[in-house]
Amino acid sequence: MSESAVTSCPFSGTREYPIKRSNPLDPAPELAEMRAAEPFAKVRLWTGQDAWLVTRYDDVRKLLTDPRVSADNTLPNFPGATPGMLAVRTKYPSFITMDVPEHTQFRRMLTGEFAVKKIEALKPRIQQVVDERIDAILAKGPPSDIVRDLTLALPITMICDLLGVPYEDQDFFHAKADLITDSRTPPDVSSKAIQELCDVYIAGLIERKNLSPTDDLLSRLVVNQLRPGHLTPIQLIGIARLLLIAGHDTSAHTMSLGILALLENPEQKQALIDDPTLINSTVEEILRYVDVTHNGRRRIATADIEIGGHVIRKGEGIIAHNAAANRDADAFPDADKFRIQRDARHHIAFGYGIHQCLGQPLARAELQILIGTLFRRIPSLALAAPISSLEFKETSFVYGVERIPVTWES
Amino acid sequence: MRVLIEQARCCGAGQCVLAAPDIFDQREEDGIVILLQENPPEESRADVLQAIKVCPALAIRLED
Ligand code: SF4
């Protein structure tokens, strides 16, 4: 394509993907341009392959529920997100990369564990962890790093409780998770991290559970699924890895970015403090506004699909962009504004279709309790450094912020 | 108003229970949707519609 063709039409060239943000709490502005002018855009990935980038809410929901759209990352030309994610997924396949009917069979081994009522019963424990953490923050006095001291600590504690993983191991598995999800990690380093996490650490945990099962999810999977042969050891490692990583990183960063969104919108923060019953709609708005899965859901077409005047051909990669869809004004009026009073429940931060996040009742409970309690107990919470000085996880599969220094009136 | 569910499609995400707890529940063993009221009263219509809108597996329908 000639230079002039590129400049005359800003959308005609194949652009590099992912696209960097300009503001830490907003998706890249180019995504809004594409949503308006080119809702099906061809983009070039780090692997050199092309994929369709889909940015409108309705199109994203249609594709994520279309049986001709596959999540099977072993298919040729699958648009993998990072070298680490691709390596981990092919070595330890889990139900998030399976299609119906295998997906149904594996997912149902877990759905009962995350049912709304099961999570309801965990709320007192979540509240206790949050209270203890905030007690410690207040006792130490300002400043504090709210990520390390609170938003990471809660989901890590909960996932350790749930899976029966020793809490002392958190630094180890959190560091490995960071390496696997970061696109800058060289393939040999992520392979090593995966090996240490899966073949050594998780395999060891499972062996111990097999010798003496305790009252936790991993033990139940060992007893009910591994022993009778419904799961192979590799499959169980895949599931445990997914729960351990997806179960803490995403919730932690959603809470961190949600706190930032409230601090950056003081009138919204005040509205929540004045009316704590807004906490549920606040959490849905945070989920809509700060999508941590910022580089989109990865899929591939298994047949030609006609959609929106385009044809996605069999074998072409698809990136269904949740974050862009969640800012689509056709689905959310004034979509770029952070408004905790709006009804945002139909957001797709947890994805859409059969792969929609299994742990969402837990994530919601954690978000509601942590954010609600934090602003109730420390209403004067404020950033201790400008937002522009914070370090965001732009290159990670899971977007987030490394640290949030905060202060308050003590 | 008649609510129809397709358990085979359900992926146990629990969105329906959050939207309309009087009408939907999840099976204890596997988290799959169960219908508490097949013919809910008219005042539940908005909640049912919300559940249909947020169900990711398109497992809920409404017949008038
Ligand atoms: S929202 Fe849909 S997929 Fe989720 S539990 Fe209810 S019926 Fe099943």
Side-chain angles (χ1 to χ4, degrees):
Chain A
M1 187 179 290
S2 73
E3 255 319 81
S4 63
V6 175
T7 42
S8 63
C9 173
F11 302 113
S12 63
T14 299
R15 56 179 83 223
E16 298 286 318
Y17 188 82
I19 308 163
K20 268 183 83 104
R21 294 169 193 254
S22 348
N23 296 315
L25 293 179
D26 292 318
E30 289 88 343
L31 291 169
E33 291 166 24
M34 283 187 213
R35 201 173 46 227
E38 199 192 11
F40 294 86
K42 271 284 173 80
V43 292
R44 176 142 309 153
L45 308 181
W46 59 277
T47 47
Q49 75 203 95
D50 287 351
W52 291 101
L53 180 69
V54 185
T55 41
R56 281 188 186 165
Y57 180 82
D58 280 343
D59 296 332
V60 167
R61 294 224 310 183
K62 264 192 210 121
L63 285 170
L64 289 178
T65 48
D66 191 315
R68 296 165 296 180
V69 172
S70 166
D72 181 356
N73 65 351
T74 58
L75 292 173
N77 201 41
F78 188 88
T82 71
M85 296 303 286
L86 213 51
V88 81
R89 284 177 183 191
T90 44
K91 188 156 180 208
Y92 295 102
S94 79
F95 54 94
I96 59 168
T97 54
M98 292 173 188
D99 296 328
V100 169
E102 293 79 20
H103 170 268
T104 319
Q105 181 204 337
F106 285 98
R107 180 161 169 140
R108 287 193 175 182
M109 293 179 185
L110 294 165
T111 37
E113 299 275 354
F114 293 93
V116 171
K117 286 199 174 140
K118 280 267 171 60
I119 301 304
E120 203 56 39
L122 288 179
K123 282 186 171 172
R125 170 70 177 145
I126 299 175
Q127 186 69 57
Q128 180 199 2
V129 177
V130 168
D131 281 332
E132 284 170 8
R133 289 285 166 173
I134 296 180
D135 287 344
I137 290 170
L138 287 171
K140 200 175 115 256
S144 164
D145 169 20
I146 214 84
V147 176
R148 169 101 219 157
D149 296 344
L150 189 64
T151 59
L152 254 180
L154 172 67
I156 288 185
T157 308
M158 293 313 295
I159 210 70
C160 286
D161 272 15
L162 216 68
L163 294 182
V165 170
Y167 188 72
E168 309 78 73
D169 298 343
Q170 59 155 312
D171 286 337
F172 169 80
F173 65 74
H174 181 62
K176 300 297 167 208
D178 258 358
L179 283 174
I180 296 167
T181 49
D182 195 324
S183 62
R184 292 167 308 182
T185 309
D188 55 321
V189 178
S190 31
S191 292
K192 188 156 170 279
I194 290 159
Q195 208 214 340
E196 287 168 352
L197 181 71
C198 296
D199 300 343
V200 181
Y201 181 73
I202 296 176
L205 267 177
I206 290 171
E207 214 176 284
R208 292 207 298 281
K209 306 272 177 205
N210 199 11
L211 286 174
S212 51
T214 37
D215 182 21
D216 55 61
L217 202 164
L218 269 189
S219 296
R220 283 193 287 279
L221 286 174
V222 167
V223 173
N224 302 331
Q225 311 292 348
L226 182 73
R227 286 183 183 168
H230 306 316
L231 279 179
T232 65
I234 289 283
Q235 288 168 335
L236 179 52
I237 292 175
I239 291 177
R241 189 245 338 142
L242 179 71
L243 294 176
L244 191 59
I245 295 184
H248 82 270
D249 237 16
T250 42
S251 331
H253 294 304
T254 305
M255 292 189 262
S256 303
L257 296 169
I259 291 168
L260 268 184
L262 284 163
L263 294 177
E264 286 294 293
N265 291 273
E267 73 302 335
Q268 296 294 302
K269 176 191 124 173
Q270 197 52 48
L272 174 63
I273 292 168
D274 293 343
D275 180 4
T277 66
L278 285 174
I279 188 61
N280 289 3
S281 63
T282 302
V283 164
E284 298 310 315
E285 176 67 346
I286 287 172
L287 285 161
R288 179 191 77 84
Y289 189 77
V290 305
D291 208 323
V292 297
T293 57
H294 67 145
N295 287 333
R297 295 298 200 271
R298 308 298 168 119
R299 295 291 189 271
I300 190 161
T302 54
D304 289 359
I305 300 169
E306 246 187 270
I307 178 167
H310 292 261
V311 181
I312 298 179
R313 298 264 170 226
K314 178 178 175 181
E316 288 183 329
I318 301 167
I319 300 175
H321 206 296
N322 308 57
N326 279 337
R327 296 292 188 104
D328 186 340
D330 286 342
F332 305 96
D334 247 340
D336 283 324
K337 297 248 164 63
F338 179 68
R339 291 282 171 268
I340 64 171
Q341 295 86 351
R342 79 162 84 223
D343 178 8
R345 270 185 293 179
H346 54 296
H347 67 71
I348 48 173
F350 291 118
Y352 197 64
I354 57 165
H355 292 282
Q356 193 182 56
C357 176
L358 175 76
Q360 57 179 307
L362 176 61
R364 280 202 167 88
E366 290 179 358
L367 273 152
Q368 288 163 359
I369 293 174
L370 184 139
I371 304 249
T373 310
L374 178 65
F375 287 99
R376 175 168 53 78
R377 293 195 57 189
I378 321 182
S380 62
L381 195 80
L383 279 180
I387 189 168
S388 59
S389 71
L390 307 184
E391 201 187 320
F392 290 88
K393 293 165 70 79
E394 178 77 40
T395 57
S396 176
F397 183 67
V398 181
Y399 185 63
V401 57
E402 300 282 2
R403 265 170 297 281
I404 307 180
V406 291
T407 184
W408 60 91
E409 291 159 20
S410 54
Chain B
M1 159 169 67
R2 181 163 170 241
V3 180
L4 298 153
I5 54 168
E6 260 182 275
Q7 288 180 322
R9 299 183 79 129
C10 171
C11 62
Q15 296 266 53
C16 54
V17 185
L18 292 172
D22 299 336
I23 295 154
F24 304 100
D25 201 352
Q26 287 169 286
R27 252 181 351 218
E28 179 100 22
E29 325 84 76
D30 58 6
I32 297 311
V33 62
I34 41 182
L35 197 53
L36 300 176
Q37 299 188 56
E38 200 183 300
N39 300 104
E42 195 50 39
E43 58 271 24
S44 310
R45 180 175 291 267
D47 288 349
V48 173
L49 290 176
Q50 177 75 243
I52 292 173
K53 189 171 173 187
V54 294
C55 170
L58 313 179
I60 309 170
R61 275 184 306 128
L62 182 67
E63 262 178 15
D64 275 303

